[in-house]
Amino acid sequence: MSILIDKDTKLVVQGITGRDGSFHTRQMMEYGTQVVAGVTPGKGGQSFEGPDGKTVPIFNSMDEAVAATGANTSVIYVPPAFAADAIMEAADSGVKLVVAITEGVPVQSMARAHAFARDRGVRVLGPNCPGIISPGKAKVGILPAQIVAEGPVGVVSRSGTLTYEAVFQLTNLGLGQTTCVGIGGDPLIGTNFVDCLEAFEADPDTKAVVMIGEIGGTDEQEAAAYVKAHMSKPVVGFIAGRTAPPGRRMGHAGAIISGSAGTAEEKVRAFEENGIAVARRPIDIAGLVQAALA
Amino acid sequence: MSILIDKDTKLVVQGITGRDGSFHTRQMMEYGTQVVAGVTPGKGGQSFEGPDGKTVPIFNSMDEAVAATGANTSVIYVPPAFAADAIMEAADSGVKLVVAITEGVPVQSMARAHAFARDRGVRVLGPNCPGIISPGKAKVGILPAQIVAEGPVGVVSRSGTLTYEAVFQLTNLGLGQTTCVGIGGDPLIGTNFVDCLEAFEADPDTKAVVMIGEIGGTDEQEAAAYVKAHMSKPVVGFIAGRTAPPGRRMGHAGAIISGSAGTAEEKVRAFEENGIAVARRPIDIAGLVQAALA
Amino acid sequence: MNIHEYQAKERFRAAGIPVPPGEVATTPEEVEAIARSIGGMVVVKAQVHSGGRGKAGGVKLAKNPEEAREHASRILGMEIKGLKVTKVFVTPAEDIATEAYVGVLVDRKSQCPTFMVSSEGGIDIEEVAATKPEAIRKLKVDPRYGMLPHQAYWLANTLYDDPALVKQGAKVIGQLYTSFVDSGASMAEINPLISTKAGEVKAIDAKMSIDDSELFRRPEVAAMRDTSDEPWEETKARDAGLSFVKLDGNVGCCVNGAGLAMATMDLVKYYGGEPANFLDIGGSSNPDKVVAALEIITADPDVKVILFNIFGGITRCDDVANGIVEATKRIDIKLPIVIRLTGTNEEQGIKILADAGFSAFTSMDEVVQKAVELAKA
Amino acid sequence: MNIHEYQAKERFRAAGIPVPPGEVATTPEEVEAIARSIGGMVVVKAQVHSGGRGKAGGVKLAKNPEEAREHASRILGMEIKGLKVTKVFVTPAEDIATEAYVGVLVDRKSQCPTFMVSSEGGIDIEEVAATKPEAIRKLKVDPRYGMLPHQAYWLANTLYDDPALVKQGAKVIGQLYTSFVDSGASMAEINPLISTKAGEVKAIDAKMSIDDSELFRRPEVAAMRDTSDEPWEETKARDAGLSFVKLDGNVGCCVNGAGLAMATMDLVKYYGGEPANFLDIGGSSNPDKVVAALEIITADPDVKVILFNIFGGITRCDDVANGIVEATKRIDIKLPIVIRLTGTNEEQGIKILADAGFSAFTSMDEVVQKAVELAKA
């Protein structure tokens, strides 16, 4: 088992003809992901040339792509100016999961796009996230496939490359993964730590979870409380940014709303107080997982 | 029994200090409606002088009014420029029914206000409607109380004064009413014929229903189909506008969307084809009800 | 409120929609001069608040300025559905490759602004809608989000195969929605939206109806009201806050509420009479409104009797009674007046009428029969 | 992007918020002249992209133009939280009756623009929030509907008892939301929003942070960027599309991804070293970015070693390798460079580096230990 994506994932790539979109579509196809359609307005009717002579039909709209292929998931590589609209188009097309890779989407546009997806019961991952990989099953996004392996560990992270780091360590230690999820580092993200923890708790194949956070916000603190209240499986944590200097802050609004400075110390404390083993170095993460599973 | 309002209705009057608001608040109180609060921004803390020395506390906002009084219904007499916002304020305050009397609310504003109320599961009646009266129990709106009587007939109408006419005839013939509802004549209304028919069908005290329509739109046709499919109780209908000349129509959009000219003939035919007895004159309505109940 | 084609085009142009140039004129001489300054073939189009201009001969192609002048001299002054043409619009003839239909209105059922588009635009669009519904693509615009770019693109995809035209079409559709919202419109329509042989998408006709309830907050739109083609009674009624439609009968009707007003007309007809008008004096009536109503009704030489049918709810019977008394003091009314007055403050109202020498009915059936009888006398 | 008080006030004024007049100046002479033209008491306020100006002595009241000039001569050139003051704003002193706080930001948790208001505004607002949370009224603005008039009124009702002030406050709150949205802001704040003894509500301070992702579609806001008070490295980094923060250590860090960059700094510290900077080269890296990164890092005389930590995902290892090779051709780098490169296109990247004479690590722990060791050598 896995969470969010698996062998039955039928993927549409929005922005399939762009530089990043085409590169990563090939990588996803090479990994065995069922890429059933691409969408690039104005290029409907053309074909995308994938690896091994495989081709993917291109459509003008998500509506047509889903109608023709029965896709259930989309991934978005379109430029920031069009990404929020692409998310809403996907959310209206019938897919159940929208993975938004694009970085730099205006936050106010995302507030509307997230509301739009919520209205329709569609899950968004990201934006500004590396995506998901369920090793041996499917990959949606940009996570490098060569570092993952099948196994019992669920990984969820706010960071992109730091996730790769942790997964790389796990794999090197022989600890494969059920699913690795990069939830993204933007202020407004569609799927958060708690959503993923809940899914990992419900997934019978996941035996332990790695949660990688960073400074800013209070998502990690809420996730820690969730772990204590609802998780039976061991969770190992890491927080990046212990040495980050305090920023020059403008205004009081941020502090008033969160009641928190969002420091690494706060988050490490929240993890430890709620039974989450915290790694000091990225290299220690895999060892703590191994110990938890022993 | 009755529909929408009864003895347990606890009413807030939005715009209680205006000319229409204050006049009709007194009339509603005289009828025995529990008017528990008024709202007029800037007049919070004052009191409204009702009949018989009764007073009603005035609040600055619906939020405060509902918190202080546990009101479950509101009625709106504020000017058109503020009415859509007043509906949204009410829908956010915890009341379950909002009766909007105000005429002349911009249609595009109402599209937003209706969506807002739907998002919150709040029922809106109107706008541009005369309100509801459940004889012997409560009155919300502007229907003249002296023409109603308790009894077994449910009345639902798109028209204001034509409703009074029909109710007057019923009462004169000894046929009282469970509830009389004026759903309003605006293009976008919150509660339609079908909603009321459904409620009358479910109300054990209602034995027959009078439905009064007029030219324009297709609400009557849909209501007629609903009657045939779902109503066990007899329904008597009347359609105003048989002699109305066709308007000078601009554009094709209306005809394309509805696929209907919305004429009286169409509606009368839809009624008759679905088992609804149609009165030729207003004075015939009560007789048809009497026959149906015999 | 309906606005003219040339006014709708101004609104569209302000929203960025490509609209060919053109000028409005009130005389054949002006038309000739405009046609000359445009050069080449032009179209002369009657500006009147009604559809069906083309079929009525109100739209003509002219090969040269002289012909434009001739067309204008026939079109100006012509009557289309009871409205007199006082203005024409002169615009270049276009080199049309395709004609599409694009319209938006607030749909009662979905309670959303709703688009309809079709690649088969032109004057037969309603027949297309009736016989080939699959040729019309519809889209509900969620008023919480507005028109989204991909939705406009999805609609435009129906209209054209060429991606360059789709892109232009999507832009026009988005701009039409903006114009619709910014104008407080209840309907906005481009028919046809043409593509030219040179590959340009343009709006060569424009229709827009404004929601009367929006005018108070849009003075620049309210200023577009043109009453020059409508009967003076309608203008006067609107200015007084009344709703009035002239008919051909002789029973002058003055009723509160549109539904009751229609039912009253229906009943006049039922009893063998003919209503002279539809007239709704609306809610919260005041004496000035009644005065205006009586002035309008009595100006019609066909009217033989004045019928009041008032059922008071928000309109109070005493207000109406005061209005009637006041009005009959201000105007010398020679016609018989029959009054039905019941509902809110009925007793006060009847007393006021009684004090002034009027007697009032309480039954609608009786008062209508009485009015029809007097009209036949 | 943070903008200055005087710029935020321009945005607020454009939205209709009552903001007292004032002018910006860069010399004490200008300040004196402005104070003279204003007349009466003025306030001289440092314009710098940081809070805490008042406590740092960057805001001073002046009784007359001469005193304003004296204050300005002390404030201009002063450093506040590492930023040099190059501009001051001169504005009339107000006759303050009450000080309220009004702020809005996009809240991560509710995913909505969220207002906070309090009648207890001023510099201690955060303490009020921490110790008397009931003195803060919060409101989530549903982005589907925007700020509704009754919501602004509901917030303003917290601030004042007098209905006339509530009305003004509600108007300001609505305008602040408009300005927030139209500016593409992530935060906008008025602290204090004063009422004067004459009963007028005014914004006498203004703070606004703009969402960097909004700038591409708002050139007029982007033009407000003022880099005069920030270190040149930060300006150069931003222009190159990098994210850079200067620190005090000697290990120059160049990492892809903010999380990995922070983890790298943490690990440098863990092994007894001190990072010289935070530097995220971001996704889809190209050689020019690497060149800019190296120019910034090597300009710091404290740096003893350059540490690359690259884990390729959307950033391809071959791009980064090419960038490093290209950069080392363009700039003469005398410092040791240690490189960790793994992930997407790892083999091609390592081959490119190998061909250019570099050797690359694949372990983050090893490369950081090596870098710390070299920095201490």
Side-chain angles (χ1 to χ4, degrees), chain D residues 325 350-358:
Chain D
V325 172
I350 286 178
K351 184 170 183 314
I352 291 163
L353 289 176
D355 290 350
F358 293 95

Side-chain angles (χ1 to χ4, degrees), chain A residues 163-227:
Chain A
T163 317
Y164 312 162
E165 191 67 51
V167 171
F168 189 50
Q169 313 280 1
L170 286 168
T171 299
N172 284 348
L173 218 65
L175 293 165
Q177 302 89 38
T178 48
T179 302
C180 306
V181 188
I183 59 175
D186 266 19
L188 303 191
I189 52 173
T191 298
N192 59 28
F193 281 123
V194 170
D195 297 321
C196 294
L197 292 171
E198 200 177 345
F200 280 132
E201 177 69 14
D203 172 33
D205 288 349
T206 301
K207 306 298 179 196
V209 177
V210 171
M211 174 162 57
I212 299 171
E214 55 187 49
I215 51 170
T218 57
D219 282 11
E220 289 82 357
Q221 293 89 314
E222 284 139 34
Y226 180 86
V227 167

Side-chain angles (χ1 to χ4, degrees), chain D residues 343-370:
Chain D
T344 306
N345 290 10
E346 172 179 330
E347 285 168 33
Q348 295 96 308
I350 286 178
K351 184 170 183 314
I352 291 163
L353 289 176
D355 290 350
F358 293 95
S359 67
F361 293 75
T362 53
S363 152
M364 170 170 170
D365 234 62
E366 280 172 26
V367 80
V368 169
Q369 288 184 56
K370 181 72 184 173

Side-chain angles (χ1 to χ4, degrees), chain B residues 100-226:
Chain B
I101 307 302
T102 311
E103 183 181 348
V105 187
V107 173
Q108 292 192 23
S109 302
M110 279 314 304
R112 284 160 47 84
H114 283 311
F116 190 92
R118 265 198 307 275
D119 280 352
R120 285 154 182 78
V122 173
R123 174 170 296 288
V124 172
L125 184 69
N128 188 20
C129 82
I132 331 166
I133 188 162
S134 292
K137 300 190 178 76
K139 156 180 155 157
V140 173
I142 62 173
L143 289 120
Q146 68 272 27
I147 60 169
V148 303
E150 289 184 66
V153 184
V155 177
V156 56
S157 171
R158 257 172 84 178
S159 161
T161 44
L162 185 53
T163 316
Y164 313 160
E165 192 66 52
V167 171
F168 189 50
Q169 312 280 1
L170 286 168
T171 299
N172 285 348
L173 217 65
L175 293 163
Q177 303 87 39
T178 47
T179 302
C180 305
V181 189
I183 59 173
D186 265 19
L188 303 192
I189 52 174
T191 298
N192 59 29
F193 281 123
V194 171
D195 297 321
C196 295
L197 292 172
E198 200 176 347
F200 281 132
E201 177 69 13
D203 173 33
D205 289 349
T206 300
K207 305 299 181 198
V209 178
V210 171
M211 174 162 60
I212 299 169
E214 55 187 50
I215 51 170
T218 57
D219 283 12
E220 289 82 356
Q221 291 90 314
E222 285 138 33
Y226 181 86

Side-chain angles (χ1 to χ4, degrees), chain C residues 24-332:
Chain C
V24 77
T26 55
T27 67
E29 293 69 31
E30 281 171 20
V31 169
E32 184 178 351
I34 294 166
R36 185 155 285 127
S37 78
I38 290 173
M41 305 254 284
V42 299
V43 188
V44 182
K45 308 175 82 175
Q47 299 296 291
V48 68
H49 293 116
S50 167
R53 293 175 304 167
K55 285 175 183 164
V59 179
K60 292 284 181 195
L61 189 68
K63 283 190 289 291
N64 53 50
E66 292 71 30
E67 201 184 350
R69 180 197 174 110
E70 283 164 32
H71 287 321
S73 65
R74 273 192 299 274
I75 294 171
L76 286 163
M78 151 188 289
E79 268 211 6
I80 298 176
K81 299 198 179 164
L83 302 177
K84 195 170 170 189
V85 179
T86 63
K87 293 188 178 77
V88 292
F89 186 64
V90 189
T91 184
E94 295 287 334
D95 193 15
I96 298 173
T98 68
E99 297 195 2
Y101 171 88
V102 178
V104 56
L105 88 176
V106 180
D107 176 40
R108 302 169 81 106
K109 203 178 296 182
S110 63
Q111 306 201 321
C112 292
T114 301
F115 269 88
M116 288 140 290
V117 309
S118 176
S119 60
E120 303 183 25
I123 53 172
D124 293 327
I125 183 65
E126 286 186 36
E127 205 191 310
V128 172
T131 59
K132 279 176 67 184
E134 72 283 0
I136 311 270
R137 182 171 272 193
K138 293 182 189 173
L139 176 92
K140 288 184 277 183
V141 179
D142 187 331
R144 300 173 302 174
Y145 297 97
M147 184 83 178
L148 303 171
H150 73 269
Q151 296 175 327
Y153 182 86
W154 183 84
L155 287 172
N157 240 329
T158 308
L159 305 182
Y160 308 108
D161 290 323
D162 178 353
L165 293 177
V166 173
K167 205 170 167 185
Q168 290 178 65
K171 202 169 169 191
V172 168
I173 288 168
Q175 289 162 332
L176 181 64
Y177 183 73
T178 302
S179 185
F180 172 81
V181 171
D182 290 351
S183 306
S186 51
M187 189 278 295
E189 187 175 271
I190 302 173
N191 187 32
L193 178 71
I194 62 158
S195 68
T196 65
K197 288 173 185 147
E200 286 178 304
V201 171
K202 293 181 187 179
I204 67 165
D205 198 3
K207 286 197 174 64
M208 197 184 259
S209 298
I210 310 295
D211 178 0
D212 288 335
S213 301
E214 296 269 10
L215 297 175
F216 77 95
R217 58 185 178 192
R218 288 186 170 78
E220 79 290 359
V221 177
M224 287 187 160
R225 186 179 302 281
D226 177 9
T227 58
S228 66
D229 67 0
E230 78 181 1
W232 70 267
E233 298 95 332
E234 292 183 20
T235 313
K236 182 181 170 87
R238 187 174 43 244
D239 290 348
L242 308 170
S243 182
F244 176 87
V245 180
K246 172 97 182 66
L247 299 171
D248 295 330
N250 56 12
V251 178
C253 300
C254 186
V255 189
N256 69 321
L260 190 61
M262 287 191 288
T264 304
M265 289 156 54
D266 294 351
L267 201 60
V268 167
K269 183 94 176 179
Y270 180 88
Y271 283 116
E274 290 290 340
N277 64 281
F278 166 92
L279 196 158
D280 173 12
I281 60 168
S284 294
S285 186
N286 70 45
D288 288 344
K289 282 194 179 182
V290 182
V291 170
L294 286 173
E295 284 172 350
I296 292 167
I297 292 172
T298 54
D300 180 350
D302 293 341
V303 170
K304 297 272 182 284
V305 59
I306 299 170
L307 160 61
F308 277 89
N309 185 9
I310 306 293
F311 211 126
I314 203 163
T315 304
R316 308 182 200 172
C317 293
D318 50 342
D319 279 354
V320 179
N322 276 325
I324 295 170
V325 172
E326 176 74 26
T328 49
K329 280 182 196 158
R330 286 198 229 160
I331 345 172
D332 181 25

Side-chain angles (χ1 to χ4, degrees), chain A residues 20 104 106-109 118-119 142 144 146 158 161 165 189 222 241-243 249-253 257 281, chain D residues 2 51 108-109 111 126 144 180 185 189 211 213 217 256 260 266 270-271 284 311-312 314 340 343 365:
Chain A
D20 291 336
V107 172
Q108 293 193 20
S109 302
R118 266 197 307 275
D119 279 352
I142 63 172
Q146 68 272 26
R158 257 172 85 179
T161 45
E165 191 67 51
I189 52 173
E222 284 139 34
R242 291 175 190 242
T243 54
R249 204 159 48 78
M250 291 284 284
H252 305 279
I257 195 100
R281 300 177 301 172
Chain D
N2 294 327
R108 302 168 79 107
K109 203 178 295 182
Q111 307 201 320
E126 285 186 36
R144 299 173 302 174
F180 172 81
E189 188 176 272
D211 178 359
S213 302
R217 57 185 179 194
N256 69 319
L260 189 61
D266 293 351
Y270 180 87
Y271 283 116
S284 293
F311 210 126
I314 204 164
R340 187 273 186 121
D365 234 62

